[in-house]
Each structure stands twice: as structure tokens, then as C-alpha cells.
Amino acid sequence: MRRAIIREQQARGRKAVAVLPVHYPKPLLTAMDILAVELWGPPGPPRGPDAGRLQAYVCAVARNALAFLAAGHADVVDGVLFPHTCDSIQGLATLAPDFGGWGKPCFRYIQPKGEERPSSRAFVRAELESLAAELAVLTGKSLETAALRRALELHTEIDRLRAALLDGRARLAMTDRELYGLLRRGEFLWPEDHLQELKAATGRLAAEGSAPVQTDLPIMITGYVPEPMTLFDHLRAAGAYVAADDYAGIGRRVLRVPVGEDDVVSERSERSARPEAPPRPRPVSDPFVALVRQSFEAPPCSTRSANQDRRLEYLVGLYRRSRCAGLVVHVPKFCEPELFDVPAIRARFAAEGVPLLYLEGELEADLSAQAQTRIDAFCEMVAAQRRRGGRAAGGTRGGATGGTRSGATGGEA
Amino acid sequence: MSDAAKAVALGVDAGSTTWKAVAIDATGAIVASLVEPAEPRIGAQTERAVAVLRTQAGADAAVPLGATGYGRKRVAAARSLTEITCHARGAFARMRRPGVLIDVGGQDTKVIRIGAAGDVADFSMNDKCAAGTGRFLEVILGRLHVPLGEVAAFAARAERSVLVSSTCTVFAESEVVSLVAEGQPVEGIVKGLHAALASRVAALAGTMPQDGGVFMSGGVALNPAMVEALAGALGRRVEIVPDPQLVGALGAALAVRP
Amino acid sequence: MITRRVQYELIARAAGPLLMTINRWQGDLKRAVRRVTGRGPARKAAPFGPPLESTRKLKDLMTMHYLTGRYADGAVPVAWVTSGFPVEILRPSGFFTVYPENHGAVCAVRRMVPELSEAVEKQGYSRDLCAYARCDLGSVVTGKTPAGRLPRPDLLACCTNICQTVLYWYRALAEHFKVPLVLVDTPFVYGEAKPHHLQYVRDQLHELRTVAERVSGNHVAPEELEEILKVSLAGTRLWDACLKTGRTKPSPWTGFDSFIHLAPIVSMRGTEECNAYYRILLDELQDRARRGVPGIANERVRLLWDNLPIWFNLRELATLLAEHGFNFVCTTYTNAWAEAGGLIDPADPEGSATRAYIHVILNRDLPNKLRTMKRMCTEYDVQGAILHSDRSCKPYSIGQIDLKDRLAQELGIKALILEACHADQRAYASEQGEMRIRAFMESFDQATPS
């Protein structure tokens, strides 16, 4: 299916670039007539012998991607873009192109780590311009400001609709499987086509203020990528649905703060405050500024390793707003960025009296029987706590490696 | 059969290694039970064995059936609940107070916090590997040629515990082989293995609440050496739930009791 | 504050050295008793060469360092620093520096990592995370440390040129201690560093100077920084010279010795004490090289080691190899502190520090790593390599399977991949590991019958 879509876009004169997780300046690619096709693994056992070129303790996302690229499964695209997400993808970005596995053009997009600082702001801008220049070599035409502006508008509209579907989840007459299927088509569709599908889906949203159409247990999920998708079938069978999403690949990429080009003023004043970096003269209205702002205004993500308090506040806010009854933490095994945030998430949600289920995965084709049991038991527990009315204390964990415990006894009889 | 002993509900725990079932009366007491090795065809085994149990307990087809364990969804005409919920109910019915229940099974180890109402307040399970499960002991004791029935006697004879640092089943196996080669006494190694497993289970349990009891269920609870090692690792007295193997099935029966 | 300072100075200048001397007398006494009575552990004889005399001075230096550290907080500003951090920028502000990675190595040698790690595994830290991070956080939570006590930081200084992990780790430390965290984020170098990548690091070094001055309350004159950079450059060159004595046949020391003697250049870089120590070590190594005193008794096969050491198994591994005449004469790990630091130019502090710290081996692509390994194989004339595939260090381990094949194809180097962890013995199967190493050693004898 993806291959056909890529070919169709290429027939229209566009280029296609495979993109590894997580964050990258998609409007820039759209503006340059480049179709982004995201490579989250893919799930299932690694395809081809090259998976063995990475040790088994490297996450499945990186291992599977190497096997996939090296086996030629991505030969239809014109290049690969490696965002600088973590040490493993950073290593993959030299292993595949330099030691075999990928022979076509290769791009890297380095996102600054840590909190926003004057230095990192200036860096993002320079990195974006550098990436645009490299991509221009691939497309044979340079980036046009007007095209970038149009692309920013298009993606703002896409984000608005994605946010509407996610934030109005309780009023949306779709199963999780359907909703995630739709949202994940954004990983490979040409953005305008994705927009049309999103528009159609908003028709299934009941009016704001009307009674919720979802009556199952509302659960929040945080994690990296919703794989395997059968997770949602198991949740549904256990009587729950995802009322709030914080997957790195889904909710964390939906920009909810509108960023405009006006920010150029504040950036200019900041620059001029630093004598060693005199402001370069720019037109007052500059779409690049919006792109820079986007990378700092997106929902907090573990892979940016910025302020943890901000992330926790965001998660708790999302949880409360969505009136959830429990939290599922679903992370890939060996994923350092995600794993390092888990203790703080446990502690914070335990303090809130929120039941929590910890699930670790390796992009397997389906959940193990044990994982299914955990989901069932978690839903049974949350449902029982709800029946007894209100807030029962107790966070639940399903991992072998410790976690913060909340109060000793859960039920307030 | 007296009125009090009349079976009002049945419970099946279709586990990965053993198949267990109980029949209970209106007071929740067990009036009949069955324990068999698990067969690959869970549905067929359940159909046959439940019929036996119904005859034993004098329970006709109207007496409801609750099912738990990995095979719970393949038990026909039963309400299914997970082992977590059922173990909590079963243990609470027997111990009659809240606490922490540790169930060391063949493939899974579960730590369940039982609330004041017998509800599940919190739970945790081991990850995919067998490090914290009964399987860990089974594999390595097999390596040492220690019969399962004599484990406790072996450990009791040990003058001191030999430190086994690996909790990974595969690593520990080779570590144990080399300890034997070094001439370490088997008794001490057996004791050390229990300590290693207990520390893994204790890590799973996290920080223990000071109030409430610490209970143990599952087949491994029948091994006194393990109970002792666990008590040592947790620094708490560990009470064995009566009929530890039947706790899950009891909970399943209680869940459907009219 | 003033009493604290007096106490600190007293320990650093008088009481510490005195204690060290007493300690040494006691050590000498014990050894003398052993010699006379013939009891106690046998003195290290075969398969090693005569032990390095400098090791004792190293112990004194590091013990003093940790001892002084106990009294540092409240007396002088304290910074906890990653091993690849441009520490030279902090030194002129008078920071006492603690290296949690070095501390982690000490914990690992003492086999304390499982105990410390379990303390934070209970909080939800996965065992799949870096063992240094786990054990350091565990040490902070429990207060347990083989150093007696670590001084509380006023500043956390983190540079991502060795991994992203350090940022997650230090962020947790910042949360615990409620102190500022300064970050030097170094874009990974694919091929050549891009100008705006260098500019980004340079901007951050500038930001760092401001924070360091604010936290310490000490304003730094440019010539003070220049002076530190000179000292640091000299230290790097001394360390480089020490390592290069390994080119002599037989090598006057072993790679395992170099792991131990690495501590000062990691955690005291930019200080005179560090350089003074390496002058002593270099003198001894050069003297041994001249006189043909070997690191191991019978050096038959020379090896390269890649990645961090397996700290908790260092002695066992070294002995096993030495018994069969195998010696590590070079390691990519110890070489890392001899290489990029050479780019420091006191005349251009920020520019050269930027270049030096962005170009460390772990922040560069695999072709660079392969070039470095091949160069070392040639210069040190090695026949084999052990690549420690370190579960706890993904950035160092990714690519090793290809590197192994390339060393074999391009230089005929026999290489072994040894899966372990640098600090957590629970993740290492010593039996399997030993068997693999034996098989690896046997393969040399089959190839070249003697």
C-alpha cells in the first residue's frame, strides 16, 4: 500500500524520503514537495539478516529499521532522514549509510537537547536552513518562502483536526483501532490527502457538550509508538478505551499552541541582546521563525529530554482534562529516553492516586498472553475501584523492576 | 451431604502448568477440589474435569462456574476473571484481612496488594523472563539433581548460604555449575538459590507497607525453604494461605457465588 | 562557611597527607609481616611482570581526592561533572569536581552496583538503563558510597558528547539536589562538523561561563582560563605519552593497568596534581620500556580492547589473558582522553575547546572509529582485538559487529565480541565469558603453531 502511494507521489514529480522517529520539520518537507514516509520499526520480527548487526539489547525500532533498509524494502524512496532522537538512532544514522544498508542520500536532523536556550534557538534555525539546503540538492529546486508558508498553514490545519479528534475522544464514534489507524495514515500519506480523511472523521464527532458516545473505562496511554495495534483490541475486550493519548508518535506531535511568524520580534530582540551574535537582517514576517517555535512549543517529549516538571504537569493536565480512570505506560524495551521518565511518572501519578499499568514491548506482532492478562487485571481493578465510587488509592505496576507504590490499601469501603 | 456443604459455585484455575478447580458452599468453604497437570487442550480438559467435580460435589449444571488462569477464556459457560482479581478474593476469604499477597507460580510471579474490602489495590508481575518464578528453581535444582520434594531438607542442612549473584535463569545455571566445580556444598548452593529468588521477588514487591499481613500462595508456597528465604528478604513474617494451590480457583468460585 | 573552608584546607594540605602516610606504613607493615610469615595472599607474581611502583602514588592521589571531597561542600563550590565535559571552563571558578562515572567505576570494582542499583530499581528505573546511572542514583538515594561521603553539588555539568544518557541521569540528579544543571549539547559529527554545530557548542560554552561564575561567585579573568587550558593540554600529552609506551615490545604495562591509571586524567584534568602524577608514571613506564620490564611475564600476543572495561571482573580477565601470554597494549577507551584533548589551544580557549570536545570518539561516526582502531592496531602492532559489547553503553557498542568484520577483512585482525556490562555483574555470565575468551586464545595457537 505504501509503495503504491509513494509511486503515485513520485509520478507527480515529488520525492519520497523515509523518516525515522520521532520529531522532524515536516512542513519543510511538504514545502519542498517531499513525501515523508515514517519508519517506526516496522513491527514484527526483524526482516532479513542485517538485524543481527545490532546487538539484541538495542531497541527493536533501530534493529528492525536496519534490517528493513538493508533488505532493500525501502528502495522505492529517494532518501532517508534520521532525526537525532536517541543514541541508538544516532548510531543507526552512521551504521546504515557508512557500513552498508543504505546507499541512497542520507540526511540527519539534529534536535537540540535540554531546555530552550538562546543558543539552542539559534541552532534550530541554522539546522533547519542547513537541512533545507541539503534537501534542495535532492529535489533540484530550492525552498520557496511562499511554499513554506502554505505548508505551515496546511500542517496547522492538520494539527487542529488531530487535536479535535483526540481531545474530543469521548464524543467520537470510532473505536481506538479505527482512530489510531486513521491518525497513523498521516505517517505516509501526502498531507493534503491526510487532511481530507481527517475532515471526514470529524463528522463522527458529536457536538461539544453532548453526552459521550464512549461509555467504556477511559484510560490514558503514554508511550513511544502504538504497536502492536492489537493492544487496542485487547483494551476494548477488557472494557476500556483510550481517552487521552501521549504516544511520542501521536499525541506528542500534535501542536496545540498556535505559533505564528510574529515571534520574530521577540527572537530579534533576544538576538540583539547578545552582542556576539548580531541579528541578521530578515524580513519581519519569516516562516522559519514559526518552524523554530514549533520545535519548542510541541507537547513535552522524553526524546527532547527537556524539563521533566513541565512534562509531568502536561501529563497530569491531560489526564484530568480527559477524566481518565487509569494510566497505561507502554514503552519499548531498551528505550532510554522513555525509560528514564518512568520513575517520575510513577511517583507523580501515584501521588495523584491514579492506578498505573506498566507494559514493555518489543514491537512484537501481538501482545503476549501475560501482557493480555495484565491488561485484563488492570481493567478489572480500575472498574472495581470505580464501582466503589471515586478515588481509590493505588498505582499498579506490571514490571519486574520496581516502581513507586502508593497507599497500602486501596479500597475505601 | 449437609445443607451447609451444598455446593453453590465452582471455580476453575486453568494455569500453564497445573489445572485446579474447587466447589464451594454458601459460606465460601471448599467442599471439593481437583488438581491435575495442565493438558494442552484446556477446553477439553475442563469439560471432562468439571464434570467429575460436579459429580463429587453434587452440583448440577445450574451451579455457576467461574474461570481464571491463562486458559480462562477457553473455559465454556463460565465468567472469566484474571488470576490477579481471583487470587486477591481467594486469599482475602481465607486470611480475612488486607495485606500483600505473593504468588510464586511456575511461569509468573505476582505481588498483589489486597485492600480493606478484599479488592485489588495494586499489583505487579514479573517481566517475560523466568528470573523471579518457580521455573528458576526448577531448572537449576534439576541441574543439581535435587528432587523437588527434598529441597527444603537440603536447604535446612546448609551450614551457610553460597552467594549466587545471577538471577537470570540461564546465567545462574552456568554459575551454579561452576560453584559445584569449585567444590561448594550443594546444600549451601540450594540455600543461595532460594535467597537469589527471594531477592528478585522482594524487588518486585517494592517497599512493603508496615500494616497488614504478608501472605503467600501458589505451588512454591509449599516449599518451606522458599517461605523462609522470602521472609528473610522482606524482613517480615510470611503466612501461607491455606491450600495455597487452590487460592485462584477459590477466588473464581467466590466471584460467581450467588 | 569559614570553618568549613578551614577544615577543607586542613584536610587537603595536612591531615590528608598524614593519614595517607600512616596508611602506607600500615600497608608496608602488613606486606612485611606476610613476607616474614609467608602467610596471606601471595604477592602478585606470574603471570604479570613486576608491579608498577606508581600505582601506590595513584592510590594516594585518588584517596586524597575523595578524602578532600568529603569536606569540600560548604568550603568551595562543588560541581558534579561528566567525563567528557569541558571542565577547564569550570576550574578557574574554583570548583571542586566530582566525577560520578569515576565513582561508578569504583562502585563496580567493589561489586556494589547491584545493591545500589536495587535502591532505584524500586523506584522504577529499568535494569536496561546504564548501570553507572543506576548505581550513582542509588548511591545518592541511599547515601552509600565506597568513598565514605560525596560532597553535595552546587552545580551539575553535563556534556552529551559521550551519550545522551548523561543528560537523563543528570536531570534526575538536578531534581534530587535542586541545583542548576548546565548542559553542553554536542551535535553528533557525521563526517565533518558543520560550522553551525561548532557555533552551537561555542555559544553554550559562553553560556556555561556565565553560569559557572554566578554559581561560584568568582569572576574569571581570561588569562586564568588560558592557564588551566595549558595545564590540561600538558596533562593530555603526558597521558598520551604514557599510553604510547605500550608500543614497545614487550609493553611495559597492560591495558588493564591503563584503565586504573586513567582516573586522574578523567577526574582531575586541568590540575597540577594530575600532571605531576603522570610525570612520575611516564618516567617509570619509559624506564621499564628501556630496560625491557614487561607488563605481563610472557607477552606472546598483543591485543586491542574496545569499549569500557568490565570493572567488576578486571582482575580475573587480566589474569586469564596474561596466563596465556595475551596482553592488551592499547584500548580505544583510554585513548579517548589522549586524543581530542590535543586539539586544545590556550590561545583560542572557546574555539579550541569546542573543537576538542565535539570531536571525541563517541561523538563521531563509525568510519572515524574504524580509522582510529585501524591506526591503533598498526601503531601498537596487535594481532587481535576484544570488543566488549557493553549492555550499559549503547553508543559505544553500536557498530561493533561491523567493526569486528572490517578489522578482520582489512587488517587480518582476529576479533572477539564479548557481551557484558561495565558495572553490573548481574548482566555478565562469567562462565560463558571465560569460555569464549579461552576459545579465542586457542584460535591464535591453531593459526600460528609455535
Side-chain angles (χ1 to χ4, degrees):
Chain A
M1 176 184 63
R2 291 190 182 201
R3 192 168 279 265
I5 288 165
I6 293 164
R7 291 246 189 258
E8 188 202 320
Q9 292 298 322
Q10 285 168 329
R12 294 184 183 205
R14 292 186 174 124
K15 297 286 181 188
V17 167
V19 187
L20 276 99
V22 178
H23 305 288
Y24 61 101
K26 197 165 180 179
L28 184 71
L29 273 66
T30 306
M32 299 184 79
D33 258 336
I34 296 169
L35 173 71
V37 183
E38 297 177 11
L39 188 57
W40 290 85
R47 306 169 193 196
D50 284 66
R53 288 168 58 200
L54 282 173
Q55 291 92 333
Y57 54 80
V58 175
C59 80
V61 175
R63 261 188 302 135
N64 288 11
L66 177 66
F68 188 81
L69 293 173
H73 293 304
D75 57 358
V76 61
V77 300
D78 305 292
V80 173
L81 171 63
F82 295 91
H84 188 271
T85 299
C86 59
D87 289 325
S88 298
I89 292 179
Q90 162 187 292
L92 182 66
T94 161
L95 184 60
D98 295 328
F99 281 178
W102 188 251
K104 288 189 186 178
C106 178
F107 309 92
R108 287 97 174 188
Y109 177 68
I110 296 191
Q111 66 178 21
K113 304 288 176 178
E115 302 209 39
E116 183 179 354
R117 296 163 290 164
S119 57
S120 58
R121 260 196 306 277
F123 172 69
V124 173
R125 163 125 213 169
E127 184 70 5
L128 286 166
E129 287 174 348
S130 163
L131 178 64
E134 287 177 19
L135 290 172
V137 176
L138 180 78
T139 59
K141 51 191 177 188
S142 55
L143 172 68
E144 287 171 27
T145 305
L148 181 55
R149 197 161 281 143
R150 279 197 305 275
L152 279 163
E153 279 168 17
L154 171 63
H155 283 281
T156 302
E157 182 62 7
I158 287 173
D159 273 354
R160 194 182 64 77
L161 294 181
R162 289 170 76 96
L165 294 173
L166 287 169
D167 297 344
R169 182 69 189 97
R171 292 177 285 108
L172 180 64
M174 283 173 100
T175 63
D176 286 336
R177 194 66 188 263
E178 289 170 331
L179 176 59
Y180 277 93
L182 167 71
L183 296 175
R184 296 199 64 192
R185 284 171 62 79
E187 292 170 14
F188 56 87
L189 285 181
W190 180 250
E192 282 163 335
D193 299 337
H194 183 46
L195 179 70
Q196 293 314 314
E197 294 190 353
L198 291 170
K199 276 184 182 161
T202 50
R204 295 166 78 175
L205 263 177
E208 225 165 308
S210 59
V213 277
Q214 300 291 341
T215 50
D216 277 354
L217 274 180
I219 297 291
M220 174 156 129
I221 284 199
T222 177
Y224 196 71
V225 60
E227 291 287 359
M229 292 277 270
T230 53
L231 166 69
F232 301 116
D233 302 333
H234 294 301
L235 272 175
R236 189 161 182 237
Y241 81 103
V242 179
D245 174 282
D246 183 55
Y247 274 116
I250 307 282
R252 283 185 227 163
R253 295 201 295 184
V254 176
L255 200 66
R256 288 180 171 85
V257 189
V259 290
E261 298 176 16
D262 312 340
D263 298 277
V264 76
V265 178
S266 63
E267 198 207 33
R268 282 165 68 89
S269 60
E270 198 128 23
R271 275 173 168 270
S272 55
R274 295 167 57 224
E276 73 283 3
R280 278 181 280 174
R282 288 191 183 282
V284 173
S285 179
D286 180 354
F288 261 102
V289 171
L291 266 187
V292 173
R293 291 312 314 151
Q294 285 187 352
S295 75
F296 292 108
E297 298 294 350
C301 181
S302 66
T303 66
R304 298 180 196 273
S305 58
N307 188 311
Q308 200 171 48
D309 286 341
R310 194 164 81 87
R311 175 151 194 235
L312 292 173
E313 285 317 305
Y314 170 82
L315 289 178
V316 169
L318 181 64
Y319 184 91
R320 287 186 185 146
R321 209 166 54 238
S322 319
R323 299 170 192 280
C324 291
L327 173 63
V328 176
V329 177
H330 178 213
V331 294
K333 194 165 170 61
F334 305 115
C335 176
E336 284 221 330
E338 287 289 293
L339 290 175
F340 263 108
D341 271 0
V342 169
I345 291 174
R346 278 189 196 286
R348 181 60 202 271
F349 279 89
E352 298 274 323
V354 171
L356 183 149
L357 176 71
Y358 179 74
L359 275 184
E360 235 175 41
E362 290 194 82
L363 295 189
E364 50 277 271
D366 194 6
L367 292 178
S368 66
Q370 212 233 29
Q372 292 177 30
T373 299
R374 285 187 195 185
I375 289 173
D376 288 351
F378 179 70
C379 293
E380 283 168 9
M381 181 183 79
V382 173
Q385 287 179 356
R386 263 202 146 191
R387 270 198 303 276
R388 281 195 312 281
R391 289 165 43 97
T396 297
R397 43 193 204 109
T401 52
T404 313
R405 293 289 193 143
S406 51
T409 50
E412 289 141 19
Chain B
M1 195 174 279
S2 76
D3 227 27
K6 186 170 169 273
V8 299
L10 304 183
V12 168
D13 181 356
S16 53
T17 43
T18 48
W19 186 99
K20 288 93 48 180
V22 298
I24 57 167
D25 65 15
T27 67
I30 295 173
V31 294
S33 66
L34 270 183
V35 178
E36 299 181 356
E39 292 169 12
R41 296 166 63 101
I42 295 169
Q45 180 176 20
T46 304
E47 206 173 311
R48 174 184 54 70
V50 165
V52 174
L53 188 71
R54 283 190 191 275
T55 314
Q56 273 184 18
D60 61 21
V63 175
L65 176 66
T68 188
Y70 276 138
R72 67 187 180 280
K73 286 175 186 165
R74 269 164 285 163
V75 175
R79 181 179 169 206
S80 94
L81 278 172
T82 59
E83 306 87 285
I84 312 295
T85 304
C86 290
H87 270 91
R89 286 198 187 186
F92 188 74
R94 290 327 260 301
M95 309 310 284
R96 298 187 181 278
R97 62 187 210 280
V100 176
L101 175 68
I102 297 170
D103 179 86
V104 182
Q107 306 291 332
D108 283 314
T109 291
K110 304 175 257 295
V111 178
I112 305 164
R113 287 195 185 195
I114 304 172
D119 54 300
V120 177
D122 191 357
F123 73 91
S124 54
M125 278 169 91
N126 65 299
D127 59 22
K128 276 187 244 177
C129 86
T133 70
R135 181 87 190 133
F136 169 82
L137 273 186
E138 215 175 283
V139 167
I140 296 161
L141 293 174
R143 211 38 160 121
L144 291 169
H145 303 292
V146 175
L148 285 175
E150 294 170 29
V151 172
F154 257 80
R157 280 205 302 273
E159 285 172 19
R160 57 179 186 87
S161 180
V162 174
L163 181 70
V164 178
S165 56
S166 296
T167 45
C168 164
T169 312
V170 180
F171 286 10
E173 206 177 334
S174 62
E175 189 180 349
V176 162
V177 169
S178 72
L179 288 171
V180 173
E182 280 171 26
Q184 296 283 358
V186 173
E187 287 80 0
I189 297 174
V190 170
K191 194 166 182 182
L193 278 171
H194 283 80
L197 176 56
S199 80
R200 186 79 189 199
V201 175
L204 192 64
T207 316
M208 299 289 281
Q210 285 311 303
D211 51 337
V214 180
F215 315 132
M216 195 173 167
S217 64
V220 180
L222 296 168
N223 170 359
M226 191 58 222
V227 179
E228 192 192 319
L230 201 54
L234 295 169
R236 297 282 297 275
R237 195 166 76 87
V238 174
E239 298 167 68
I240 300 165
V241 182
D243 304 316
Q245 269 190 298
L246 298 178
V247 175
L250 173 62
L254 289 169
V256 295
R257 182 173 55 167
Chain C
M1 174 84 186
I2 290 168
T3 39
R4 203 60 194 149
R5 181 66 191 244
V6 170
Q7 203 177 19
Y8 172 78
E9 296 292 344
L10 198 70
I11 289 290
R13 292 171 203 280
L18 184 71
L19 284 172
M20 301 304 319
T21 315
I22 295 169
N23 200 13
R24 192 180 306 162
W25 284 340
Q26 286 175 335
D28 287 342
L29 193 68
K30 268 189 210 153
R31 276 187 286 274
V33 168
R34 255 187 244 137
R35 269 197 296 275
V36 173
T37 61
R39 278 186 295 139
R43 215 172 133 67
K44 191 174 72 173
F48 297 99
L52 285 164
E53 289 295 322
S54 314
T55 307
R56 230 199 255 175
K57 291 216 168 53
L58 173 75
K59 274 186 192 152
D60 290 357
L61 180 69
M62 295 316 293
T63 310
M64 259 313 289
H65 180 68
Y66 278 108
L67 189 64
T68 318
R70 291 191 206 183
Y71 302 91
D73 42 349
V76 289
V78 175
W80 287 23
V81 185
T82 61
S83 62
F85 192 86
V87 68
E88 293 83 355
I89 312 263
L90 296 179
R91 293 242 183 266
S93 304
F95 280 95
F96 180 88
T97 53
V98 172
Y99 279 74
E101 288 158 69
N102 178 256
H103 177 246
V106 175
C107 295
V109 169
R110 307 264 178 109
R111 296 183 150 244
M112 284 175 70
V113 173
E115 180 195 354
L116 295 174
S117 177
E118 271 168 23
V120 288
E121 285 168 24
K122 280 186 184 162
Q123 298 177 356
Y125 283 94
S126 163
R127 267 199 204 181
D128 294 326
L129 293 171
C130 168
Y132 271 172
R134 276 183 284 122
C135 97
D136 183 55
L137 293 171
S139 172
V140 163
V141 168
T142 59
K144 286 182 193 164
T145 159
R149 180 180 173 275
L150 290 180
R152 197 180 188 286
D154 302 297
L155 180 72
L156 294 158
C158 169
C159 181
T160 56
N161 57 357
I162 50 167
C163 57
Q164 308 298 312
T165 309
V166 287
L167 179 51
Y168 295 104
W169 169 6
Y170 276 55
R171 207 181 52 184
L173 289 174
E175 180 59 32
H176 178 87
F177 289 113
K178 310 281 181 212
V179 295
L181 164 66
V182 282
L183 168 67
V184 176
D185 180 26
T186 49
F188 195 79
V189 179
Y190 297 99
E192 296 292 313
K194 294 176 183 173
H196 70 278
H197 292 183
L198 293 167
Q199 185 60 46
Y200 175 40
V201 175
R202 204 186 166 123
D203 285 352
Q204 293 175 86
L205 293 185
H206 196 82
E207 288 167 345
L208 162 66
R209 284 176 75 168
T210 317
V211 178
E213 289 188 352
R214 177 167 55 77
V215 172
S216 68
N218 299 329
H219 179 72
V220 175
E223 39 309 347
E224 291 177 86
L225 179 59
E226 267 173 51
E227 195 47 46
I228 296 284
L229 285 167
K230 275 183 199 159
V231 175
S232 173
L233 180 62
T236 300
R237 289 190 174 149
L238 281 163
W239 176 241
D240 186 42
C242 290
L243 292 179
K244 283 185 175 144
T245 62
R247 294 178 180 179
T248 318
K249 287 185 190 176
S251 168
W253 61 340
T254 75
F256 293 105
D257 292 320
S258 74
F259 287 139
I260 305 284
H261 290 263
L262 180 68
I265 193 70
V266 175
S267 53
M268 300 169 79
R269 193 167 64 251
T271 67
E272 275 303 341
E273 298 99 297
C274 166
N275 295 6
Y277 173 69
Y278 285 125
R279 277 187 209 103
I280 295 169
L281 177 65
L282 181 61
D283 280 348
E284 186 183 4
L285 288 171
Q286 285 176 338
D287 177 59
R288 284 170 71 112
R290 259 193 308 275
R291 293 192 291 121
V293 180
I296 68 167
N298 173 28
E299 183 181 291
R300 287 194 305 130
V301 181
R302 296 161 64 84
L303 300 175
L304 170 140
W305 176 277
D306 181 51
N307 214 327
L308 279 82
I310 305 171
W311 288 114
F312 53 85
N313 213 38
L314 204 55
R315 171 63 53 204
E316 292 84 345
L317 215 54
T319 310
L320 175 66
L321 288 158
E323 278 169 354
H324 295 81
F326 285 69
N327 191 18
F328 283 101
V329 293
C330 54
T331 87
T332 57
Y333 184 62
T334 47
N335 184 60
W337 278 271
E339 207 172 39
L343 296 170
I344 292 278
D345 176 6
D348 175 18
E350 281 181 1
S352 69
T354 295
R355 285 190 296 278
Y357 283 95
I358 207 172
H359 282 117
V360 304
I361 190 166
L362 283 177
N363 202 50
R364 300 186 68 177
D365 59 16
L366 288 168
N368 175 70
K369 190 174 173 192
L370 179 62
R371 277 195 302 276
T372 305
M373 288 171 90
K374 282 168 67 175
R375 199 192 65 232
M376 291 177 75
C377 286
T378 310
E379 288 177 359
Y380 286 81
D381 194 18
V382 306
Q383 295 92 56
I386 294 188
L387 283 65
H388 167 204
S389 170
D390 185 350
R391 285 180 69 90
S392 257
C393 190
K394 292 176 187 75
Y396 214 144
S397 305
I398 284 177
Q400 281 179 320
I401 293 154
D402 283 53
L403 289 167
K404 170 187 181 261
D405 292 345
R406 300 219 169 203
L407 288 177
Q409 285 160 16
E410 296 172 27
L411 291 181
I413 298 282
K414 276 182 202 283
L416 170 75
I417 292 198
L418 181 65
E419 187 161 319
C421 170
H422 60 259
D424 190 339
Q425 66 261 32
R426 293 172 302 179
Y428 178 55
S430 56
E431 304 306 316
Q432 277 105 322
E434 192 184 317
M435 198 187 70
R436 281 186 197 189
I437 291 166
R438 284 184 189 280
F440 173 66
M441 292 189 296
E442 283 163 9
S443 74
F444 282 86
D445 294 333
Q446 282 157 11
T448 50
S450 51

